[in-house]
Amino acid sequence: MKILWINPIGGDLFDRPIGGMLKKAARPGTEVDVISLPPGRPMHLEYHSYEGLVTGDVVNIVWSLSERYDAIVIGCFYDVALREAREVSRRAVVTAPCQSTLLFASQLANSFSILVGRRKWIPKMRENVHGYGFGARLASMRSVELGVHDFQADPKRTASLLVEEGRRAVEEDLAEAVILGCTIEYGFNEKMQDALGVPVIDAVVAPFKIAELMAEAADRFRLYPSRKWGNEPPPQAEVSSMGLFKDGLGGYSILRDRDIATDP
């Protein structure tokens, strides 16, 4: 089984730590590659305009590489370009953090809270939660007022803030589980579980494990992505005649499975 993780930001700052997490989480026999966008693309997606700028990159990556992978994960909690990527993924399943963590939470608890970095993020993420059909289970969305690049800058402070808000979500909002609402909130879920006494779902591990599960389902039971109605892909002849999408990945940074270390 081969899975591709897309970090939809410019530069490879988070490729190795996330790749190491995925290797540790992977089943025996699963290969993991990590790809990020060229320098000059946004280094985070805290603004919706930045999300718009990288949507084409994500679609082009999936268009170019989907035949080489059993599953592809888009590593942003906005689930950036998820619908668009699924349209061109051929037989590869495409997952993303928000939808995947909601699936995890729904199997473990009746209600959940999502801990995000900034209040700015909440409206779009709340829309996604309701759009996926999980609005009735959402106890709250709480912010720790940290930007994407702040989470790993001072892990001790980040852990303290997450535990504090997580405790409020459980005790005040009656959340039975907590979701970490950013992929760069990695590395805190286990200590939070010990402190809070509820499941804490990591936004890196959840979409990766869903990707593994669905790739196995495709292999064993021929459960491939639907290509009817809303999931209908654009005709190849039309794409070719208009010169749409880009084949090839010049400038993109690809970290191969063989080069990923599992040590911190």
mmCIF file of all heavy atoms in Angstrom, residues 189-237:
data_model
loop_
_atom_site.group_PDB
_atom_site.id
_atom_site.type_symbol
_atom_site.label_atom_id
_atom_site.label_comp_id
_atom_site.label_asym_id
_atom_site.label_seq_id
_atom_site.Cartn_x
_atom_site.Cartn_y
_atom_site.Cartn_z
ATOM 1 N N ASN A 189 -1.691 15.028 21.653
ATOM 2 C CA ASN A 189 -2.943 14.336 21.970
ATOM 3 C C ASN A 189 -2.828 13.328 23.111
ATOM 4 O O ASN A 189 -3.741 13.214 23.937
ATOM 5 C CB ASN A 189 -3.510 13.648 20.719
ATOM 6 C CG ASN A 189 -2.595 12.588 20.162
ATOM 7 O OD1 ASN A 189 -1.427 12.861 19.871
ATOM 8 N ND2 ASN A 189 -3.092 11.381 19.988
ATOM 9 N N GLU A 190 -1.716 12.599 23.215
ATOM 10 C CA GLU A 190 -1.632 11.562 24.238
ATOM 11 C C GLU A 190 -1.567 12.163 25.643
ATOM 12 O O GLU A 190 -2.253 11.701 26.563
ATOM 13 C CB GLU A 190 -0.428 10.664 23.969
ATOM 14 C CG GLU A 190 -0.593 9.815 22.708
ATOM 15 C CD GLU A 190 0.542 8.828 22.529
ATOM 16 O OE1 GLU A 190 1.390 8.710 23.443
ATOM 17 O OE2 GLU A 190 0.594 8.172 21.476
ATOM 18 N N LYS A 191 -0.762 13.198 25.817
ATOM 19 C CA LYS A 191 -0.703 13.845 27.128
ATOM 20 C C LYS A 191 -2.031 14.507 27.472
ATOM 21 O O LYS A 191 -2.456 14.535 28.635
ATOM 22 C CB LYS A 191 0.430 14.871 27.159
ATOM 23 C CG LYS A 191 1.820 14.244 27.134
ATOM 24 C CD LYS A 191 2.916 15.297 27.233
ATOM 25 C CE LYS A 191 4.294 14.636 27.239
ATOM 26 N NZ LYS A 191 5.384 15.633 27.309
ATOM 27 N N MET A 192 -2.710 15.057 26.472
ATOM 28 C CA MET A 192 -4.014 15.652 26.713
ATOM 29 C C MET A 192 -5.033 14.614 27.151
ATOM 30 O O MET A 192 -5.855 14.854 28.043
ATOM 31 C CB MET A 192 -4.495 16.369 25.462
ATOM 32 C CG MET A 192 -3.722 17.632 25.134
ATOM 33 S SD MET A 192 -4.355 18.409 23.620
ATOM 34 C CE MET A 192 -5.993 18.916 24.171
ATOM 35 N N GLN A 193 -4.989 13.438 26.528
ATOM 36 C CA GLN A 193 -5.901 12.362 26.939
ATOM 37 C C GLN A 193 -5.698 11.999 28.396
ATOM 38 O O GLN A 193 -6.661 11.820 29.143
ATOM 39 C CB GLN A 193 -5.689 11.123 26.067
ATOM 40 C CG GLN A 193 -6.286 11.230 24.703
ATOM 41 C CD GLN A 193 -6.229 9.942 23.908
ATOM 42 O OE1 GLN A 193 -6.972 9.813 22.952
ATOM 43 N NE2 GLN A 193 -5.357 9.012 24.241
ATOM 44 N N ASP A 194 -4.443 11.896 28.804
ATOM 45 C CA ASP A 194 -4.150 11.577 30.204
ATOM 46 C C ASP A 194 -4.691 12.648 31.133
ATOM 47 O O ASP A 194 -5.210 12.352 32.219
ATOM 48 C CB ASP A 194 -2.642 11.424 30.409
ATOM 49 C CG ASP A 194 -2.060 10.219 29.676
ATOM 50 O OD1 ASP A 194 -2.841 9.297 29.354
ATOM 51 O OD2 ASP A 194 -0.848 10.204 29.422
ATOM 52 N N ALA A 195 -4.561 13.917 30.718
ATOM 53 C CA ALA A 195 -4.982 15.026 31.575
ATOM 54 C C ALA A 195 -6.496 15.189 31.597
ATOM 55 O O ALA A 195 -7.070 15.541 32.637
ATOM 56 C CB ALA A 195 -4.330 16.323 31.108
ATOM 57 N N LEU A 196 -7.169 14.945 30.458
ATOM 58 C CA LEU A 196 -8.594 15.243 30.344
ATOM 59 C C LEU A 196 -9.489 14.034 30.571
ATOM 60 O O LEU A 196 -10.674 14.190 30.891
ATOM 61 C CB LEU A 196 -8.890 15.834 28.957
ATOM 62 C CG LEU A 196 -8.134 17.113 28.586
ATOM 63 C CD1 LEU A 196 -8.501 17.545 27.164
ATOM 64 C CD2 LEU A 196 -8.432 18.227 29.572
ATOM 65 N N GLY A 197 -8.967 12.853 30.344
ATOM 66 C CA GLY A 197 -9.772 11.652 30.549
ATOM 67 C C GLY A 197 -10.802 11.403 29.458
ATOM 68 O O GLY A 197 -11.786 10.684 29.674
ATOM 69 N N VAL A 198 -10.601 12.003 28.272
ATOM 70 C CA VAL A 198 -11.484 11.769 27.121
ATOM 71 C C VAL A 198 -10.622 11.528 25.893
ATOM 72 O O VAL A 198 -9.435 11.888 25.875
ATOM 73 C CB VAL A 198 -12.424 12.972 26.867
ATOM 74 C CG1 VAL A 198 -13.308 13.235 28.078
ATOM 75 C CG2 VAL A 198 -11.634 14.220 26.475
ATOM 76 N N PRO A 199 -11.183 10.938 24.838
ATOM 77 C CA PRO A 199 -10.396 10.778 23.612
ATOM 78 C C PRO A 199 -9.997 12.135 23.037
ATOM 79 O O PRO A 199 -10.817 13.061 22.973
ATOM 80 C CB PRO A 199 -11.363 10.054 22.660
ATOM 81 C CG PRO A 199 -12.407 9.450 23.539
ATOM 82 C CD PRO A 199 -12.533 10.355 24.715
ATOM 83 N N VAL A 200 -8.740 12.239 22.626
ATOM 84 C CA VAL A 200 -8.234 13.444 21.962
ATOM 85 C C VAL A 200 -7.700 13.001 20.599
ATOM 86 O O VAL A 200 -6.756 12.213 20.521
ATOM 87 C CB VAL A 200 -7.149 14.150 22.791
ATOM 88 C CG1 VAL A 200 -6.616 15.373 22.037
ATOM 89 C CG2 VAL A 200 -7.698 14.565 24.154
ATOM 90 N N ILE A 201 -8.283 13.512 19.549
ATOM 91 C CA ILE A 201 -8.055 12.989 18.203
ATOM 92 C C ILE A 201 -7.105 13.901 17.446
ATOM 93 O O ILE A 201 -7.369 15.095 17.270
ATOM 94 C CB ILE A 201 -9.389 12.839 17.454
ATOM 95 C CG1 ILE A 201 -10.301 11.901 18.254
ATOM 96 C CG2 ILE A 201 -9.165 12.291 16.048
ATOM 97 C CD1 ILE A 201 -11.744 11.960 17.851
ATOM 98 N N ASP A 202 -6.006 13.333 16.996
ATOM 99 C CA ASP A 202 -4.957 14.061 16.296
ATOM 100 C C ASP A 202 -5.320 14.213 14.825
ATOM 101 O O ASP A 202 -5.768 13.266 14.167
ATOM 102 C CB ASP A 202 -3.636 13.307 16.447
ATOM 103 C CG ASP A 202 -2.486 14.009 15.773
ATOM 104 O OD1 ASP A 202 -1.877 14.874 16.403
ATOM 105 O OD2 ASP A 202 -2.212 13.687 14.599
ATOM 106 N N ALA A 203 -5.075 15.409 14.283
ATOM 107 C CA ALA A 203 -5.481 15.722 12.909
ATOM 108 C C ALA A 203 -4.523 15.193 11.858
ATOM 109 O O ALA A 203 -4.793 15.334 10.659
ATOM 110 C CB ALA A 203 -5.641 17.234 12.749
ATOM 111 N N VAL A 204 -3.404 14.611 12.277
ATOM 112 C CA VAL A 204 -2.498 13.943 11.338
ATOM 113 C C VAL A 204 -2.827 12.453 11.265
ATOM 114 O O VAL A 204 -2.993 11.876 10.186
ATOM 115 C CB VAL A 204 -1.027 14.146 11.744
ATOM 116 C CG1 VAL A 204 -0.101 13.277 10.894
ATOM 117 C CG2 VAL A 204 -0.634 15.613 11.610
ATOM 118 N N VAL A 205 -2.950 11.831 12.417
ATOM 119 C CA VAL A 205 -3.153 10.384 12.462
ATOM 120 C C VAL A 205 -4.512 9.990 11.885
ATOM 121 O O VAL A 205 -4.622 9.014 11.126
ATOM 122 C CB VAL A 205 -3.008 9.865 13.910
ATOM 123 C CG1 VAL A 205 -3.394 8.385 13.996
ATOM 124 C CG2 VAL A 205 -1.573 10.060 14.402
ATOM 125 N N ALA A 206 -5.573 10.744 12.223
ATOM 126 C CA ALA A 206 -6.931 10.336 11.821
ATOM 127 C C ALA A 206 -7.100 10.221 10.301
ATOM 128 O O ALA A 206 -7.551 9.178 9.807
ATOM 129 C CB ALA A 206 -7.965 11.289 12.411
ATOM 130 N N PRO A 207 -6.753 11.247 9.513
ATOM 131 C CA PRO A 207 -6.961 11.092 8.066
ATOM 132 C C PRO A 207 -6.048 10.049 7.448
ATOM 133 O O PRO A 207 -6.407 9.420 6.439
ATOM 134 C CB PRO A 207 -6.665 12.491 7.510
ATOM 135 C CG PRO A 207 -5.783 13.132 8.523
ATOM 136 C CD PRO A 207 -6.262 12.598 9.840
ATOM 137 N N PHE A 208 -4.865 9.839 8.044
ATOM 138 C CA PHE A 208 -3.957 8.818 7.534
ATOM 139 C C PHE A 208 -4.531 7.423 7.754
ATOM 140 O O PHE A 208 -4.508 6.578 6.850
ATOM 141 C CB PHE A 208 -2.596 8.950 8.209
ATOM 142 C CG PHE A 208 -1.614 7.896 7.795
ATOM 143 C CD1 PHE A 208 -1.066 7.909 6.528
ATOM 144 C CD2 PHE A 208 -1.246 6.889 8.672
ATOM 145 C CE1 PHE A 208 -0.162 6.921 6.129
ATOM 146 C CE2 PHE A 208 -0.346 5.907 8.289
ATOM 147 C CZ PHE A 208 0.200 5.920 7.017
ATOM 148 N N LYS A 209 -5.079 7.178 8.951
ATOM 149 C CA LYS A 209 -5.631 5.856 9.234
ATOM 150 C C LYS A 209 -6.908 5.597 8.434
ATOM 151 O O LYS A 209 -7.160 4.469 7.995
ATOM 152 C CB LYS A 209 -5.891 5.692 10.732
ATOM 153 C CG LYS A 209 -4.643 5.792 11.598
ATOM 154 C CD LYS A 209 -3.523 4.869 11.140
ATOM 155 C CE LYS A 209 -3.800 3.398 11.424
ATOM 156 N NZ LYS A 209 -2.609 2.543 11.087
ATOM 157 N N ILE A 210 -7.716 6.637 8.205
ATOM 158 C CA ILE A 210 -8.876 6.480 7.329
ATOM 159 C C ILE A 210 -8.409 6.144 5.915
ATOM 160 O O ILE A 210 -8.997 5.299 5.222
ATOM 161 C CB ILE A 210 -9.735 7.749 7.322
ATOM 162 C CG1 ILE A 210 -10.383 7.988 8.694
ATOM 163 C CG2 ILE A 210 -10.805 7.681 6.222
ATOM 164 C CD1 ILE A 210 -11.488 7.045 9.052
ATOM 165 N N ALA A 211 -7.325 6.795 5.465
ATOM 166 C CA ALA A 211 -6.784 6.510 4.135
ATOM 167 C C ALA A 211 -6.330 5.061 4.031
ATOM 168 O O ALA A 211 -6.606 4.388 3.018
ATOM 169 C CB ALA A 211 -5.621 7.456 3.832
ATOM 170 N N GLU A 212 -5.658 4.561 5.050
ATOM 171 C CA GLU A 212 -5.235 3.156 5.046
ATOM 172 C C GLU A 212 -6.440 2.221 4.973
ATOM 173 O O GLU A 212 -6.451 1.248 4.204
ATOM 174 C CB GLU A 212 -4.425 2.839 6.305
ATOM 175 C CG GLU A 212 -2.954 3.129 6.211
ATOM 176 C CD GLU A 212 -2.191 2.514 7.374
ATOM 177 O OE1 GLU A 212 -2.714 2.522 8.517
ATOM 178 O OE2 GLU A 212 -1.063 2.030 7.169
ATOM 179 N N LEU A 213 -7.439 2.505 5.797
ATOM 180 C CA LEU A 213 -8.640 1.665 5.829
ATOM 181 C C LEU A 213 -9.325 1.626 4.472
ATOM 182 O O LEU A 213 -9.697 0.559 3.970
ATOM 183 C CB LEU A 213 -9.604 2.207 6.891
ATOM 184 C CG LEU A 213 -10.989 1.554 6.947
ATOM 185 C CD1 LEU A 213 -10.890 0.096 7.365
ATOM 186 C CD2 LEU A 213 -11.906 2.324 7.900
ATOM 187 N N MET A 214 -9.494 2.796 3.851
ATOM 188 C CA MET A 214 -10.200 2.852 2.576
ATOM 189 C C MET A 214 -9.374 2.243 1.446
ATOM 190 O O MET A 214 -9.938 1.658 0.505
ATOM 191 C CB MET A 214 -10.574 4.289 2.253
ATOM 192 C CG MET A 214 -11.549 4.913 3.248
ATOM 193 S SD MET A 214 -13.030 3.895 3.519
ATOM 194 C CE MET A 214 -13.747 3.887 1.877
ATOM 195 N N ALA A 215 -8.056 2.379 1.523
ATOM 196 C CA ALA A 215 -7.204 1.736 0.523
ATOM 197 C C ALA A 215 -7.310 0.216 0.627
ATOM 198 O O ALA A 215 -7.340 -0.493 -0.387
ATOM 199 C CB ALA A 215 -5.759 2.190 0.687
ATOM 200 N N GLU A 216 -7.377 -0.298 1.847
ATOM 201 C CA GLU A 216 -7.566 -1.737 2.027
ATOM 202 C C GLU A 216 -8.935 -2.177 1.509
ATOM 203 O O GLU A 216 -9.063 -3.232 0.869
ATOM 204 C CB GLU A 216 -7.435 -2.109 3.503
ATOM 205 C CG GLU A 216 -7.609 -3.596 3.758
ATOM 206 C CD GLU A 216 -7.627 -3.958 5.233
ATOM 207 O OE1 GLU A 216 -7.737 -3.062 6.076
ATOM 208 O OE2 GLU A 216 -7.552 -5.173 5.521
ATOM 209 N N ALA A 217 -9.964 -1.360 1.767
ATOM 210 C CA ALA A 217 -11.307 -1.692 1.284
ATOM 211 C C ALA A 217 -11.345 -1.735 -0.243
ATOM 212 O O ALA A 217 -12.025 -2.573 -0.836
ATOM 213 C CB ALA A 217 -12.316 -0.675 1.815
ATOM 214 N N ALA A 218 -10.598 -0.824 -0.876
ATOM 215 C CA ALA A 218 -10.528 -0.838 -2.336
ATOM 216 C C ALA A 218 -9.841 -2.101 -2.833
ATOM 217 O O ALA A 218 -10.291 -2.742 -3.797
ATOM 218 C CB ALA A 218 -9.783 0.396 -2.831
ATOM 219 N N ASP A 219 -8.768 -2.491 -2.166
ATOM 220 C CA ASP A 219 -7.998 -3.655 -2.587
ATOM 221 C C ASP A 219 -8.778 -4.955 -2.372
ATOM 222 O O ASP A 219 -8.797 -5.824 -3.250
ATOM 223 C CB ASP A 219 -6.679 -3.692 -1.812
ATOM 224 C CG ASP A 219 -5.816 -4.890 -2.201
ATOM 225 O OD1 ASP A 219 -5.505 -5.026 -3.393
ATOM 226 O OD2 ASP A 219 -5.465 -5.686 -1.300
ATOM 227 N N ARG A 220 -9.453 -5.076 -1.236
ATOM 228 C CA ARG A 220 -10.114 -6.337 -0.891
ATOM 229 C C ARG A 220 -11.542 -6.440 -1.425
ATOM 230 O O ARG A 220 -12.002 -7.522 -1.781
ATOM 231 C CB ARG A 220 -10.129 -6.522 0.630
ATOM 232 C CG ARG A 220 -8.749 -6.690 1.244
ATOM 233 C CD ARG A 220 -8.852 -7.005 2.732
ATOM 234 N NE ARG A 220 -9.567 -8.251 2.961
ATOM 235 C CZ ARG A 220 -9.908 -8.692 4.178
ATOM 236 N NH1 ARG A 220 -9.605 -7.975 5.252
ATOM 237 N NH2 ARG A 220 -10.562 -9.831 4.320
ATOM 238 N N PHE A 221 -12.246 -5.304 -1.455
ATOM 239 C CA PHE A 221 -13.670 -5.346 -1.780
ATOM 240 C C PHE A 221 -14.044 -4.500 -3.002
ATOM 241 O O PHE A 221 -15.222 -4.319 -3.289
ATOM 242 C CB PHE A 221 -14.488 -4.877 -0.570
ATOM 243 C CG PHE A 221 -14.124 -5.582 0.703
ATOM 244 C CD1 PHE A 221 -13.557 -4.883 1.764
ATOM 245 C CD2 PHE A 221 -14.306 -6.948 0.843
ATOM 246 C CE1 PHE A 221 -13.213 -5.518 2.938
ATOM 247 C CE2 PHE A 221 -13.967 -7.602 2.020
ATOM 248 C CZ PHE A 221 -13.410 -6.888 3.073
ATOM 249 N N ARG A 222 -13.039 -3.975 -3.702
ATOM 250 C CA ARG A 222 -13.246 -3.152 -4.894
ATOM 251 C C ARG A 222 -14.130 -1.932 -4.606
ATOM 252 O O ARG A 222 -14.914 -1.505 -5.445
ATOM 253 C CB ARG A 222 -13.818 -3.994 -6.036
ATOM 254 C CG ARG A 222 -12.887 -5.116 -6.478
ATOM 255 C CD ARG A 222 -13.354 -5.836 -7.721
ATOM 256 N NE ARG A 222 -14.629 -6.515 -7.496
ATOM 257 C CZ ARG A 222 -15.766 -6.180 -8.090
ATOM 258 N NH1 ARG A 222 -15.803 -5.175 -8.956
ATOM 259 N NH2 ARG A 222 -16.877 -6.844 -7.853
ATOM 260 N N LEU A 223 -13.978 -1.356 -3.421
ATOM 261 C CA LEU A 223 -14.729 -0.160 -3.056
ATOM 262 C C LEU A 223 -13.928 1.079 -3.453
ATOM 263 O O LEU A 223 -13.249 1.705 -2.634
ATOM 264 C CB LEU A 223 -15.031 -0.161 -1.550
ATOM 265 C CG LEU A 223 -16.079 -1.187 -1.108
ATOM 266 C CD1 LEU A 223 -16.163 -1.238 0.407
ATOM 267 C CD2 LEU A 223 -17.449 -0.853 -1.705
ATOM 268 N N TYR A 224 -14.027 1.421 -4.709
ATOM 269 C CA TYR A 224 -13.314 2.574 -5.248
ATOM 270 C C TYR A 224 -14.209 3.812 -5.208
ATOM 271 O O TYR A 224 -15.433 3.705 -5.100
ATOM 272 C CB TYR A 224 -12.882 2.293 -6.691
ATOM 273 C CG TYR A 224 -11.954 1.120 -6.832
ATOM 274 C CD1 TYR A 224 -12.404 -0.092 -7.359
ATOM 275 C CD2 TYR A 224 -10.620 1.220 -6.424
ATOM 276 C CE1 TYR A 224 -11.545 -1.176 -7.481
ATOM 277 C CE2 TYR A 224 -9.755 0.142 -6.548
ATOM 278 C CZ TYR A 224 -10.224 -1.055 -7.073
ATOM 279 O OH TYR A 224 -9.381 -2.127 -7.195
ATOM 280 N N PRO A 225 -13.617 5.007 -5.300
ATOM 281 C CA PRO A 225 -14.425 6.224 -5.305
ATOM 282 C C PRO A 225 -15.444 6.225 -6.442
ATOM 283 O O PRO A 225 -15.153 5.815 -7.567
ATOM 284 C CB PRO A 225 -13.385 7.339 -5.498
ATOM 285 C CG PRO A 225 -12.104 6.769 -4.973
ATOM 286 C CD PRO A 225 -12.165 5.317 -5.325
ATOM 287 N N SER A 226 -16.647 6.682 -6.137
ATOM 288 C CA SER A 226 -17.689 6.810 -7.146
ATOM 289 C C SER A 226 -17.287 7.841 -8.193
ATOM 290 O O SER A 226 -16.612 8.829 -7.900
ATOM 291 C CB SER A 226 -19.004 7.249 -6.502
ATOM 292 O OG SER A 226 -19.990 7.493 -7.488
ATOM 293 N N ARG A 227 -17.714 7.601 -9.424
ATOM 294 C CA ARG A 227 -17.466 8.558 -10.498
ATOM 295 C C ARG A 227 -18.774 8.982 -11.173
ATOM 296 O O ARG A 227 -18.789 9.373 -12.326
ATOM 297 C CB ARG A 227 -16.488 7.951 -11.520
ATOM 298 C CG ARG A 227 -15.072 7.804 -10.962
ATOM 299 C CD ARG A 227 -14.459 9.149 -10.656
ATOM 300 N NE ARG A 227 -13.233 9.076 -9.872
ATOM 301 C CZ ARG A 227 -13.063 9.636 -8.697
ATOM 302 N NH1 ARG A 227 -14.067 10.284 -8.120
ATOM 303 N NH2 ARG A 227 -11.913 9.559 -8.067
ATOM 304 N N LYS A 228 -19.862 8.910 -10.410
ATOM 305 C CA LYS A 228 -21.173 9.318 -10.920
ATOM 306 C C LYS A 228 -21.573 10.663 -10.330
ATOM 307 O O LYS A 228 -21.153 11.059 -9.240
ATOM 308 C CB LYS A 228 -22.235 8.274 -10.552
ATOM 309 C CG LYS A 228 -22.077 6.951 -11.258
ATOM 310 C CD LYS A 228 -22.391 7.041 -12.746
ATOM 311 C CE LYS A 228 -23.879 7.149 -12.994
ATOM 312 N NZ LYS A 228 -24.193 7.104 -14.445
ATOM 313 N N TRP A 229 -22.402 11.396 -11.091
ATOM 314 C CA TRP A 229 -23.048 12.620 -10.662
ATOM 315 C C TRP A 229 -22.054 13.633 -10.099
ATOM 316 O O TRP A 229 -21.177 14.096 -10.802
ATOM 317 C CB TRP A 229 -24.195 12.304 -9.695
ATOM 318 C CG TRP A 229 -25.074 11.185 -10.186
ATOM 319 C CD1 TRP A 229 -25.447 10.060 -9.514
ATOM 320 C CD2 TRP A 229 -25.686 11.065 -11.474
ATOM 321 N NE1 TRP A 229 -26.239 9.239 -10.278
ATOM 322 C CE2 TRP A 229 -26.405 9.838 -11.500
ATOM 323 C CE3 TRP A 229 -25.698 11.850 -12.634
ATOM 324 C CZ2 TRP A 229 -27.125 9.399 -12.601
ATOM 325 C CZ3 TRP A 229 -26.417 11.415 -13.734
ATOM 326 C CH2 TRP A 229 -27.124 10.211 -13.706
ATOM 327 N N GLY A 230 -22.140 13.978 -8.830
ATOM 328 C CA GLY A 230 -21.254 15.005 -8.289
ATOM 329 C C GLY A 230 -19.786 14.642 -8.324
ATOM 330 O O GLY A 230 -18.923 15.518 -8.294
ATOM 331 N N ASN A 231 -19.477 13.351 -8.397
ATOM 332 C CA ASN A 231 -18.085 12.892 -8.430
ATOM 333 C C ASN A 231 -17.593 12.623 -9.852
ATOM 334 O O ASN A 231 -16.524 12.055 -10.044
ATOM 335 C CB ASN A 231 -17.924 11.611 -7.599
ATOM 336 C CG ASN A 231 -17.234 11.878 -6.275
ATOM 337 O OD1 ASN A 231 -17.127 13.018 -5.834
ATOM 338 N ND2 ASN A 231 -16.764 10.826 -5.631
ATOM 339 N N GLU A 232 -18.371 13.018 -10.850
ATOM 340 C CA GLU A 232 -17.966 12.790 -12.239
ATOM 341 C C GLU A 232 -16.693 13.583 -12.554
ATOM 342 O O GLU A 232 -16.635 14.788 -12.318
ATOM 343 C CB GLU A 232 -19.077 13.240 -13.184
ATOM 344 C CG GLU A 232 -18.736 13.107 -14.656
ATOM 345 C CD GLU A 232 -19.776 13.758 -15.548
ATOM 346 O OE1 GLU A 232 -20.877 14.065 -15.047
ATOM 347 O OE2 GLU A 232 -19.487 13.967 -16.737
ATOM 348 N N PRO A 233 -15.663 12.934 -13.092
ATOM 349 C CA PRO A 233 -14.427 13.648 -13.434
ATOM 350 C C PRO A 233 -14.558 14.375 -14.763
ATOM 351 O O PRO A 233 -15.394 14.020 -15.594
ATOM 352 C CB PRO A 233 -13.396 12.516 -13.545
ATOM 353 C CG PRO A 233 -14.200 11.340 -13.983
ATOM 354 C CD PRO A 233 -15.554 11.485 -13.325
ATOM 355 N N PRO A 234 -13.732 15.394 -14.994
ATOM 356 C CA PRO A 234 -13.758 16.070 -16.293
ATOM 357 C C PRO A 234 -13.276 15.130 -17.390
ATOM 358 O O PRO A 234 -12.371 14.315 -17.164
ATOM 359 C CB PRO A 234 -12.801 17.248 -16.109
ATOM 360 C CG PRO A 234 -11.910 16.854 -14.973
ATOM 361 C CD PRO A 234 -12.733 15.988 -14.083
ATOM 362 N N PRO A 235 -13.845 15.219 -18.590
ATOM 363 C CA PRO A 235 -13.420 14.328 -19.684
ATOM 364 C C PRO A 235 -11.958 14.569 -20.051
ATOM 365 O O PRO A 235 -11.519 15.717 -20.169
ATOM 366 C CB PRO A 235 -14.341 14.715 -20.841
ATOM 367 C CG PRO A 235 -15.484 15.448 -20.211
ATOM 368 C CD PRO A 235 -14.937 16.117 -19.002
ATOM 369 N N GLN A 236 -11.234 13.488 -20.249
ATOM 370 C CA GLN A 236 -9.825 13.597 -20.600
ATOM 371 C C GLN A 236 -9.627 14.395 -21.884
ATOM 372 O O GLN A 236 -8.707 15.217 -21.986
ATOM 373 C CB GLN A 236 -9.211 12.207 -20.755
ATOM 374 C CG GLN A 236 -7.755 12.207 -21.175
ATOM 375 C CD GLN A 236 -6.842 12.833 -20.131
ATOM 376 O OE1 GLN A 236 -6.830 12.413 -18.988
ATOM 377 N NE2 GLN A 236 -6.073 13.844 -20.516
ATOM 378 N N ALA A 237 -10.490 14.184 -22.871
ATOM 379 C CA ALA A 237 -10.346 14.896 -24.137
ATOM 380 C C ALA A 237 -10.502 16.401 -23.941
ATOM 381 O O ALA A 237 -9.780 17.203 -24.557
ATOM 382 C CB ALA A 237 -11.379 14.387 -25.136
#
